Structure formats: C-alpha cells, structure tokens
C-alpha cells in the first residue's frame, strides 16, 4: 500500500513514526530518572532519621566506603537537584515532540483527506 502513496506522504509517515519512537524513548528515560529521583529522596529521608554520630557508608562501585553523614547528605541533595532538573528538561522535550507529532498528524490528515485515528 505504501507504494501507492505519494512520496511526500510517505515521508510524513516516516517522520511520524520517528517522532513516535522518540517519544517512547523519552518516556522510558523520564521514567528511569523519576525512579532514581524517588530512591534519592528516600535515601535523604532515611539519612535525616539518623543521629549525628551515626556511621554512614556510601556505595562506590562494588565497595562500601565509610563517610561523613553531612558529606553524603550534600551529595544526595546535589544528585536530587540534578535529577529534578533532568526530569523538567525531559518533560519539556516530551511537550515539543507531542506538538510536532500533532502537527504532522494534522498535515497527514489534510493530505490524505481522511481523519487520522488518535
């Protein structure tokens, strides 16, 4: 059937599929970062429950290294901020891709002359 479509429409369909794949990849990436963010927040909560003299170990590769509570807390706060920023960036990228998807979908609908299923 694709051989019956004009080259312009075939190109738009290919772009639509590519944008859909990008959106799926972004969604997976955003989900992974959100999971990592929640784990970091939980670690910070648990760290706050500890006393000031508590012994804290930090995982570095396959090793657990004894560290100061405040250094670990600061590192987790920095990680949380970075992950939050990354989540916001991905959300903006998702919005742009969604808008582009809708534009292409509308162009295809007009070019073909039939409604496109959503």
């Amino acid at each position: 059937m694709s051989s019956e479509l004009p080259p312009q429409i075939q190109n738009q369909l290919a772009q639509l599929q590519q944008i859909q794949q990008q959106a799926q990849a972004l969604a997976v990436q955003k989900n992974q970062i959100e999971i990592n963010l929640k784990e970091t927040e939980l670690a910070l909560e648990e760290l706050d429950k500890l006393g000031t003299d508590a012994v804290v170990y930090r995982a570095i590769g396959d090793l657990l290294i004894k560290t100061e509570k405040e250094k670990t807390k600061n590192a987790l706060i920095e990680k949380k901020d970075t992950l939050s920023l990354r989540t916001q960036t991905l959300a903006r990228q998702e919005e742009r891709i969604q808008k582009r998807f809708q534009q292409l979908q509308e162009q295809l609908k007009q070019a073909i002359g039939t409604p496109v299923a959503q």
Side-chain angles (χ1 to χ4, degrees), residues 20-98:
Q20 193 172 24
Q21 290 171 351
Q22 288 174 351
Q24 289 171 346
L26 269 177
V28 168
Q29 189 177 8
K30 184 179 172 192
N31 187 40
Q32 290 171 339
I33 289 175
E34 287 173 342
I35 289 170
N36 201 340
L37 179 60
K38 289 199 184 307
E39 288 174 352
T40 302
E41 289 170 345
L42 287 173
L44 272 169
E45 288 174 16
E46 290 302 316
L47 199 57
D48 283 339
K49 292 177 186 177
L50 298 176
T52 55
D53 59 345
V55 178
V56 176
Y57 292 90
R58 187 162 181 218
I60 300 178
D62 290 336
L63 301 174
L64 288 177
I65 306 294
K66 187 175 181 178
T67 184
E68 296 175 19
K69 178 184 171 185
E70 280 306 307
K71 283 185 180 180
T72 301
K73 184 175 181 177
N74 290 338
L76 286 172
I77 289 170
E78 187 176 324
K79 181 179 180 180
K80 178 183 171 186
D81 292 343
T82 301
L83 291 170
S84 294
L85 183 61
R86 185 72 180 129
T87 301
Q88 293 169 2
T89 302
L90 289 172
R92 286 192 300 271
Q93 287 176 345
E94 276 183 324
E95 287 176 27
R96 283 195 302 268
I97 284 180
Q98 182 63 30

